[in-house]
Amino acid sequence: MAENMTEDEVRDKAREILGLNSVGGGVVIAGVGQLTTFNQLGFKGRLDKPDGWYLPSTKTDTAVVLETKASKISLGAPQVKELLKNIRIMNAKYEHVVGILYNGESTRVFKNGEEYKEKGSEKLHNIAYYTALFNVDHIDKQRIYELTARINNCLHFEFGIRNLYHRMIFTACALVAKRYDALMVSGMDYSEFHNAILNCLNKELLRDKHQNQKLSLLADVFSEIRMNLNVNSEDEKEQEHVKDLISNFIDWVTEISDCLNSDAWRGEDVMGIFFNEFNRYKKKSESGQVFTPEHITDFIYRILEVNQDDRVLDATCGSGGFLVKAMANMIDEAGGVNTEKAREIKQNQLFGIEFDREIYALACANMLIHKDGKTNLEQLDARSEEAGKWIGRQNITKVLMNPPYEKKYGCMDIVENVLDSVPPHTSCAFILPDKKLEKTGKKQMARIFEHHRLRKVVKLPEDLFFGIGMTTSIFVFETGVPQSGHEFFTCWMKDDGLETVKNKGRHDVHDRWPEIERYWIDVVSKQSGDDTCVWESPDECLSYQVPVKPFEISEEDFRKTAMDYLMYKKGIDAKAFSGQLFDRIMYSATIDGDEDNVIISLRKR
């Protein structure tokens, strides 16, 4: 609480939080005070005195003006009026001005003359939060799909990188390099291009290797990627061709990187598009992973009611889709990527385990692109005691997972180890085949139910995992609470609104998913509201039970069956008889009638 703070104390606190410091060379003039007038700041003839200012030399950039009050003064209409006057003064030079009203405890924010009331705006943040408020918050997802397809085809057919994960890792490492401003420009030969990426990886990984030695694996895997492109040819035409390919690749990666680095659009979802588009080329890996569609990772995040203070685990994290989605949503709730809370989320609230060496490298690259969170990834067997102990040290509050399904990869052993290793009353969501629990050994399920309770089962659309022929459900457990015969809630999301697009996988082409998601979040939260909602006993089943259609027979079907039986009893060949009857009707009958009736007349022989 900011009790009994004077205006001077509030102003000093605001300067520290905002980071109102001028940038050398006149790039930005920034500061706080009581004596500086707008006239002295370049607004000729205006003698009003702002409490704080941020004035970029580029007038198309966003300017910021601060108005502070003592903590005992509420931020009401008179204070807003004063701030809006200062905004209008700055609008004379800047099209985009953010005004901040602050009393050490409460904050009100205005974009030009309109109050801004989005999530996080009630707290005071670093200046970068406010300078990003006018950024365009839209990105062309279809363009990302197109770029990713071009990158994949170029690496596959031109560079000759046959392994899908190698193509993904190669691209992700290039994105890491762009994220950290590695020199990648058109006209580079392959050696220059490759070394620019590798040098950047080694430099950035070095900063975190003291916390996690396994991060060096990313650079090792990148170095091992082989291609069939003749990069050492002495033929000038071949050399120019290679340079053109590299230039195109750099252009495509740069465009995706620009989306990733957009504060307003938060970038994380761009990575979701990027990985999901790559993953459609291979639905299931050699290690048993089935990658989760992005809209389902978001749905699970929401039905588990994850929030910005949770500590999230995915113990079979693959390329990091669940963690990236959790990061994006948690940061959005916290007020954006430029908040102090966002840095805390990235660094200390996301935890992942991946066993496969190359996919672990891919997850490292994915998190590196976001500059934090990468040190909380471990390459471990999620079934092992070592993994269990590691999980136990992280104080996990929510689990979101899509483990490998096959028994040979230890699917239920992973589930059990995770349930046993997180604190009591932790909500854990697992995507599993519909009948997975029922096919698990009775001893193991008894052991699980002795300590943990199955709360909900949400059957997912049957064509969700396009091309792999497997139907799945979300199984939600609460740890540390025995089942003790308690019923669990089930429902069936029959349709997610996505459609299969030729050669492009499943997409929300008609923008139906947001409304469908809202509907099913409400159903799962209330545990009612849809015809498919059923409560089941664990003694009878461990999955959603698809209703069996009641037996029905039409009068026509009954007559046919009866007639077939009579002909069989009399030794009549039903097929031959049908053929003869058809010929008589077609070629010997007189057909008459009206709109409602058809009359067929046969002559006597």
Side-chain angles (χ1 to χ4, degrees):
M1 297 290 290
E3 296 181 4
N4 301 319
M5 292 180 66
T6 66
E7 184 173 342
D8 286 341
E9 289 172 332
V10 171
R11 191 182 303 108
D12 289 341
K13 181 179 178 181
R15 176 176 55 193
E16 181 180 350
I17 295 173
L18 288 164
L20 285 179
N21 300 306
S22 295
V23 178
V27 175
V28 172
I29 298 173
V32 298
Q34 281 186 304
L35 302 178
T36 305
T37 65
F38 276 114
N39 185 67
Q40 291 172 297
L41 293 171
F43 297 87
K44 190 173 180 180
R46 303 309 301 251
L47 300 179
D48 305 82
K49 299 174 182 178
D51 289 315
W53 54 90
Y54 180 91
L55 303 171
S57 59
T58 303
K59 298 303 183 286
T60 54
D61 290 346
T62 298
V64 179
V65 61
L66 172 69
E67 184 68 28
T68 59
K69 299 297 175 185
S71 58
K72 65 181 180 181
I73 299 177
S74 61
L75 305 181
Q79 291 73 33
V80 170
K81 182 178 180 180
E82 186 177 0
L83 177 66
L84 292 178
K85 180 182 68 172
N86 289 343
I87 290 174
R88 288 194 296 272
I89 291 172
M90 292 177 66
N91 275 145
K93 287 191 175 184
Y94 294 91
E95 180 182 356
H96 297 145
V97 178
V98 173
I100 304 169
L101 192 57
Y102 182 60
N103 67 359
E105 181 177 353
S106 301
T107 307
R108 295 181 69 176
V109 180
F110 292 80
K111 292 174 62 177
N112 290 334
E114 297 294 326
E115 187 161 10
Y116 178 77
K117 294 184 177 181
E118 297 299 318
K119 288 181 291 188
S121 62
E122 71 282 356
K123 297 179 181 179
L124 191 65
H125 302 288
N126 182 271
I127 193 67
Y129 172 87
Y130 301 100
T131 57
L133 292 185
F134 281 98
N135 290 359
V136 177
D137 62 354
H138 171 75
I139 190 163
D140 186 353
K141 288 189 177 183
Q142 188 58 42
R143 178 60 176 165
I144 303 299
Y145 290 130
E146 292 172 2
L147 290 169
T148 307
R150 290 184 187 180
I151 288 170
N152 179 73
N153 291 333
C154 178
L155 294 180
H156 190 182
F157 299 110
E158 298 286 357
F159 282 70
I161 304 176
R162 304 300 182 210
N163 183 292
L164 173 66
Y165 291 130
H166 287 181
R167 298 197 294 273
M168 293 174 71
I169 292 167
F170 191 91
T171 309
C173 288
L175 281 165
V176 171
K178 286 298 298 182
R179 187 74 169 98
Y180 290 93
D181 300 320
L183 182 62
M184 294 196 300
V185 295
S186 297
M188 297 177 101
D189 62 30
Y190 181 77
S191 178
E192 293 171 325
F193 171 66
H194 186 274
N195 288 336
I197 296 175
L198 189 59
N199 291 339
C200 179
L201 289 178
N202 286 324
K203 177 184 175 183
E204 295 307 323
L205 293 174
L206 187 63
R207 299 180 183 180
D208 292 276
K209 281 171 67 175
H210 68 282
Q211 295 183 51
N212 188 345
Q213 288 292 327
K214 295 177 183 177
L215 284 172
S216 61
L217 187 115
L218 176 59
D220 294 340
V221 172
F222 177 77
S223 299
E224 293 166 7
I225 295 174
R226 296 292 177 263
M227 58 187 68
N228 292 327
L229 184 67
N230 187 4
V231 297
N232 296 315
S233 172
E234 295 183 1
D235 183 88
E236 290 187 7
K237 288 187 176 180
E238 185 66 23
Q239 290 177 6
E240 288 303 314
H241 177 63
V242 171
K243 288 182 178 180
D244 287 343
L245 291 176
I246 292 171
S247 295
N248 289 336
F249 180 83
I250 290 172
D251 289 343
W252 298 330
V253 165
T254 298
E255 193 168 343
I256 292 178
S257 182
D258 289 343
C259 298
L260 277 167
N261 295 327
S262 167
D263 287 341
W265 210 76
R266 282 176 287 278
E268 290 80 3
D269 290 330
V270 179
M271 284 307 299
I273 296 169
F274 169 73
F275 282 118
N276 284 333
E277 181 64 12
F278 254 118
N279 287 334
R280 75 178 180 82
Y281 293 96
K282 188 175 185 181
K283 299 299 176 286
K284 193 172 182 181
S285 81
E286 292 85 351
S287 299
Q289 290 91 350
V290 178
F291 290 93
T292 314
E294 183 191 8
H295 68 297
I296 297 300
T297 63
D298 189 64
F299 176 67
I300 295 176
Y301 176 96
R302 298 187 188 285
I303 64 171
L304 234 58
E305 299 181 351
V306 183
N307 64 60
Q308 62 176 309
D309 295 318
D310 276 312
R311 296 169 68 83
V312 176
L313 169 71
D314 182 355
T316 54
C317 68
S319 60
F322 270 121
L323 298 178
V324 165
K325 176 56 66 178
M327 179 194 294
N329 288 342
M330 292 163 75
I331 288 174
D332 183 43
E333 182 186 345
V337 294
N338 294 306
T339 61
E340 186 61 36
K341 181 62 175 176
R343 286 184 281 275
E344 172 69 15
I345 289 167
K346 289 180 177 184
Q347 193 66 39
N348 299 316
Q349 293 178 225
L350 304 164
F351 303 87
I353 292 174
E354 175 54 45
F355 180 66
D356 184 275
R357 179 175 179 269
E358 290 183 344
I359 299 174
Y360 173 79
L362 188 59
C364 288
N366 194 2
M367 303 307 280
L368 253 175
I369 288 164
H370 301 94
K371 285 201 169 181
D372 280 305
K374 53 196 173 293
T375 54
N376 297 322
L377 299 178
E378 287 291 323
Q379 188 196 5
L380 294 169
D381 183 342
R383 299 168 292 183
S384 68
E385 182 180 353
E386 181 185 3
K389 289 180 178 179
W390 184 84
I391 293 170
R393 293 193 295 269
Q394 311 310 326
N395 193 27
I396 300 300
T397 61
K398 296 286 170 61
V399 173
L400 297 77
M401 289 179 57
N402 184 7
Y405 300 153
E406 290 88 339
K407 185 176 181 180
K408 66 179 179 179
Y409 298 120
C411 176
M412 290 307 298
D413 294 335
I414 292 171
V415 170
E416 184 177 8
N417 198 27
V418 169
L419 292 173
D420 289 344
S421 301
V422 298
H425 307 296
T426 300
S427 294
C428 304
F430 305 90
I431 299 180
L432 299 168
D434 289 338
K435 304 297 181 181
K436 189 66 178 178
L437 300 190
E438 289 160 330
K439 293 180 179 180
T440 299
K442 291 184 178 180
K443 286 185 178 180
Q444 185 171 22
M445 286 311 306
R447 199 166 58 237
I448 290 173
F449 283 154
E450 183 180 355
H451 302 287
H452 315 293
R453 184 174 296 182
L454 179 62
R455 290 288 189 183
K456 302 174 185 178
V457 176
V458 182
K459 180 172 169 58
L460 296 171
E462 298 205 333
D463 57 351
L464 176 68
F465 289 105
F466 175 77
I468 70 169
M470 183 176 295
T471 60
T472 58
S473 299
I474 303 166
F475 295 81
V476 180
F477 286 84
E478 180 185 357
T479 63
V481 181
Q483 193 73 35
S484 300
H486 284 85
E487 292 185 338
F488 58 94
F489 169 77
T490 72
C491 61
W492 182 9
M493 183 201 296
K494 295 182 180 180
D495 182 25
D496 60 3
L498 275 66
E499 296 181 7
T500 302
V501 179
K502 186 177 181 181
N503 297 325
K504 291 187 177 181
R506 300 181 74 245
H507 295 280
D508 188 16
V509 293
H510 300 298
D511 199 28
R512 294 176 57 203
W513 170 247
E515 182 178 352
I516 292 172
E517 183 185 38
R518 285 192 295 271
Y519 174 83
W520 282 105
I521 289 172
D522 187 60
V523 169
V524 175
S525 174
K526 295 177 179 177
Q527 300 184 151
S528 63
D530 187 81
D531 291 342
T532 65
C533 294
V534 180
W535 286 83
E536 299 285 3
S537 168
D539 298 326
E540 296 177 5
C541 66
L542 297 174
S543 63
Y544 176 82
Q545 301 299 293
V546 176
V548 178
K549 290 184 178 180
F551 177 76
E552 295 180 354
I553 185 169
S554 66
E555 183 179 349
E556 183 179 330
D557 288 337
F558 178 78
R559 287 177 178 274
K560 181 180 183 303
T561 302
M563 183 67 73
D564 287 345
Y565 178 72
L566 287 173
M567 285 191 289
Y568 167 75
K569 293 287 286 184
K570 292 180 177 293
I572 300 172
D573 186 328
K575 187 175 182 180
F577 178 80
S578 296
Q580 292 171 7
L581 182 61
F582 179 79
D583 289 343
R584 286 284 317 269
I585 291 173
M586 284 295 295
Y587 306 120
S588 304
T590 300
I591 302 175
D592 199 1
D594 53 30
E595 292 182 356
D596 299 319
N597 299 287
V598 176
I599 301 172
I600 301 174
S601 303
L602 291 173
R603 294 190 302 273
K604 291 183 179 180
R605 285 186 172 179

